[in-house]
């Protein structure tokens, strides 16, 4: 039995066009800005998100870190959603590497409240760290891939800017938000100072993310990337996939969204499992398994034995992510396997 791997969109493999592009990409030393394929990717990427310049980085985690280290210096404060990827899943790098003081704010479905953000910005006082940057995330991973509406993002950015803070957007899946709303990605990035997006998630690249901002921001980001050991050499071999991703893989994300919805609706009919259907807005489905009486690890183990790989949001949920390797038949088969796994 071939397992259906729904643990993440990071599990996607390169497309045939990516393999072809890798083979024929002109290469050079990117540390010296001499890799034409990386340069091309950075140009296309900057244009997609409406920024002056962009920088290719090995991972989303490094992209977020580099951006924060440009916006703030050790001892400064960064405002973060308590459920954000940066706070929750990046191994504490915001504190241990960037030396920043996180101040967390709650959110609902990834939506921060502008009043709460305003109240969390401390005044300049010798007792307090200096608040320097507000981080946003769109789509919002831990709420189930929910979209933060552009108008709310803009209000939050205004609150931060009025108080002298920079705004960084963790837009790992910003193209999911764009495709699902029918807006250009640049609409989500217009009022942020920097954005990171991932090529290695639903867009199917084997590795790589991009950060974008003003030319001056990217100039500094280049130095920080080098400092962190993230400057690569013939990185065009990876960037070639990124070019294919940005040119051919964005619109098809809508298929993942349609399949995620069908998956969610069908899973909701399985006794013991439930899904907050309103939160299924892009490619993720968080399944509440409390009705089964099983703990999260047990549910994951049973699913894996039945041939469905999922990830956890313990103690109450598992996560399933639709990606390009799942056609309609895989969705139907996954639902049947899950039904069997929890009813045994
Ligand atoms: N998310 C991964 C895991 O780390 C949880 C996943 O499977 O969803 N921002 C957001 C919103 C992300 O979801 C991720 C990866 C990142 C940043 C980090 O990207 P990488 O894995 O390239 O460092």
């Amino acid at each position: 039995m071939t397992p259906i791997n729904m643990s993440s969109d990071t599990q996607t493999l390169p497309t045939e066009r990516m393999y072809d592009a890798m083979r024929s990409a002109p290469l050079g030393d990117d540390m010296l800005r001499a890799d034409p394929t990386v340069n091309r990717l950075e140009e296309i990427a900057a244009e997609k998100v409406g920024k002056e310049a962009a920088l290719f980085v090995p991972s989303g985690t490094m992209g977020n870190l580099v951006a924060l280290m440009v916006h703030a210096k050790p001892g400064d404060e960064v405002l973060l959603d308590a459920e954000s990827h940066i706070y929750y899943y990046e191994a504490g790098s915001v504190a241990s590497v960037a030396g920043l003081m996180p101040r967390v704010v709650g959110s609902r479905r990834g939506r921060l409240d502008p009043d709460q953000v305003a109240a969390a910005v401390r005044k300049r006082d010798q007792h307090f760290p200096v608040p320097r940057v507000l981080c946003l995330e769109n789509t919002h991973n831990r709420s189930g891939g929910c979209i933060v509406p552009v108008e709310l993002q803009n209000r939050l950015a205004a609150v931060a800017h009025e108080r002298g803070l920079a705004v960084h957007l963790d837009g790992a899946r910003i193209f999911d938000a764009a495709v699902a709303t029918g807006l250009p990605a640049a609409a989500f990035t217009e009022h942020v100072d920097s954005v990171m997006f991932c090529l290695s998630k639903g867009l199917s690249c084997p590795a790589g993310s991009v950060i974008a901002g003003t030319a001056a921001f990217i100039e500094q980001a280049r130095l920080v990337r080098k400092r962190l050991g993230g400057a690569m050499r013939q990185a065009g071999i990876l960037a070639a996939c990124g070019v294919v991703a940005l040119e051919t893989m964005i619109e098809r994300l809508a298929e993942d969204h349609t399949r995620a919805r069908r998956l969610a609706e069908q899973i909701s009919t399985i006794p013991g499992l439930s899904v907050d259907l309103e939160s299924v807005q892009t490619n993720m489905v968080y399944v509440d398994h409390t009705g089964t009486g099983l703990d999260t690890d047990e549910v994951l183990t049973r699913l894996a034995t039945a041939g469905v790989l999922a990830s956890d949001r313990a103690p109450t949920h598992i996560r399933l992510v639709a990606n390009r390797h799942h056609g309609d038949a895989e969705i139907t088969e996954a639902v049947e396997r899950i039904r069997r796994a929890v009813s045994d």
Side-chain angles (χ1 to χ4, degrees), residues 8 59-61 85 90 137 141 170 172-173 196 201 319:
S8 183
S59 68
T61 300
H85 194 277
E90 298 189 6
E137 184 176 313
N141 188 340
D170 176 345
R173 298 183 180 82
M196 180 284 291
K201 304 213 158 39
R319 184 184 73 163

Side-chain angles (χ1 to χ4, degrees), residues 185-207:
F188 289 92
T189 52
E190 190 181 350
H191 295 291
V192 303
D193 300 285
S194 57
V195 56
M196 180 284 291
F197 66 81
C198 293
L199 298 163
S200 58
K201 304 213 158 39
L203 299 183
S204 296
C205 290

